[in-house]
Amino acid sequence: MSEEFDSAKARAARSAAELVESGMTVGLGTGTTASLMLRRLGERIRDEGLTFVAVPTSLATAELARELGVELRDIDDVPALDLNIDGADEIDSEFRMIKGRGGALLREKIVACVAKRRVTVVTDDKQVDRLGVGASVPVEVSRMGAKHIERRLQRLGAETELRRNADGLSFVTDGGNLIIDCRFPGIDDPADLDARLKSVVGVFETGLFIGLCDVLIVGKDDGVERIETHARRSPGCG
């Protein structure tokens, strides 16, 4: 087994993949953890005859899923999801998260809100006492007026940076939007900050995920821990 697949992240991702059962409709996250989980699901399709329908949160996830033989549907073509599996950039003791490093935060939050059970997969270094100390909060915004939106975000106390690709051009989400990464010196009240960021006209969504983790799977050097969070469901999900 390669070093990659022997890592704490890979062990956690594979553990999450075992939660998928035949007949389920499953949301598939975006990023390296989601890719490892998806590859394990591909193995289960091949070796066990696992059958399920998946809703991807990004074009990259959709492409990999097709390669692995996963049946895909659009979010509007399913009444609900049995399960959603995704990673996180940071998660605190109340299971509030920062997500969106992969640039799919709007789609990830829409899919998470449709799921009956939300599974978050992290390594133990992603567990923090206070959100925002180590990670910026991605904010997905309109391309029109982006400079004005960025200035308004700065007035809320953020140090901002428009996300760019390696070639220096602006990063554009699968939905055609921009991302402004907002740095705060630690976040005392994530729900309040989320509301204040969303009050800015032109902000579509933030990378603050609150009440959207029902099961936390933590990969560690010596194994995997699974935690039932009993987190209160996000009010924005109805």
Side-chain angles (χ1 to χ4, degrees):
M1 183 177 290
S2 71
E3 181 177 350
E4 176 189 21
F5 280 88
D6 197 29
S7 68
K9 179 184 290 189
R11 284 195 295 273
R14 292 173 71 87
S15 178
E18 301 309 311
L19 297 176
V20 177
E21 300 175 1
S22 284
M24 280 186 168
T25 303
V26 181
L28 301 177
T30 296
T32 56
T33 301
S35 295
L36 290 168
M37 180 271 300
L38 186 49
R39 291 188 185 281
R40 171 56 185 155
L41 288 174
E43 292 175 358
R44 293 189 62 200
I45 290 170
R46 182 192 66 217
D47 299 338
E48 303 172 20
L50 178 70
T51 58
F52 65 98
V53 171
V55 173
T57 55
S58 67
L59 297 178
T61 296
E63 182 178 359
L64 177 59
R66 288 192 191 94
E67 291 176 5
L68 296 171
V70 177
E71 180 183 352
L72 299 181
R73 297 274 178 83
D74 185 81
I75 188 65
D76 286 327
D77 293 333
V78 298
L81 300 174
D82 298 297
L83 200 63
N84 183 67
I85 306 176
D86 203 355
D89 302 322
E90 286 187 347
I91 186 165
D92 69 11
S93 60
E94 296 184 41
F95 309 107
R96 301 172 298 191
M97 300 176 283
I98 292 178
K99 292 167 52 65
R101 187 175 295 171
L105 59 106
L106 174 58
R107 293 188 177 196
E108 286 175 341
K109 195 171 286 189
I110 290 171
V111 170
C113 278
V114 176
K116 299 174 183 176
R117 196 166 187 233
R118 286 73 52 91
V119 179
T120 301
V121 187
V122 298
T123 48
D124 56 4
D125 61 301
K126 303 297 185 183
Q127 295 178 290
V128 298
D129 295 326
R130 189 182 184 198
L131 293 179
V133 173
S136 298
V137 178
V139 178
E140 191 161 343
V141 305
S142 166
R143 297 174 77 172
M144 176 184 174
K147 290 184 179 180
H148 297 278
I149 297 167
E150 185 172 13
R151 283 196 287 270
R152 294 188 189 109
L153 294 173
Q154 290 168 352
R155 288 200 288 270
L156 293 178
E159 293 182 10
T160 62
E161 183 176 0
L162 179 67
R163 189 176 296 187
R164 298 185 183 278
N165 296 314
D167 58 10
L169 297 176
S170 298
F171 175 89
V172 179
T173 70
D174 289 346
N177 306 316
L178 302 180
I179 289 182
I180 297 174
D181 289 305
C182 296
R183 171 74 68 174
F184 297 91
I187 301 169
D188 293 320
D189 189 336
D192 176 71
L193 179 59
D194 184 53
R196 289 192 291 120
L197 292 172
K198 288 178 180 175
S199 74
V200 175
V201 175
V203 169
F204 295 131
E205 193 50 84
T206 84
L208 290 164
F209 281 56
I210 302 164
L212 291 171
C213 176
D214 301 306
V215 181
L216 177 63
I217 295 179
V218 184
K220 303 182 178 184
D221 290 338
D222 59 353
V224 174
E225 180 182 12
R226 184 182 299 178
I227 303 167
E228 296 283 344
T229 72
H230 307 291
R232 179 180 298 176
R233 193 174 184 88
S234 169
C237 291

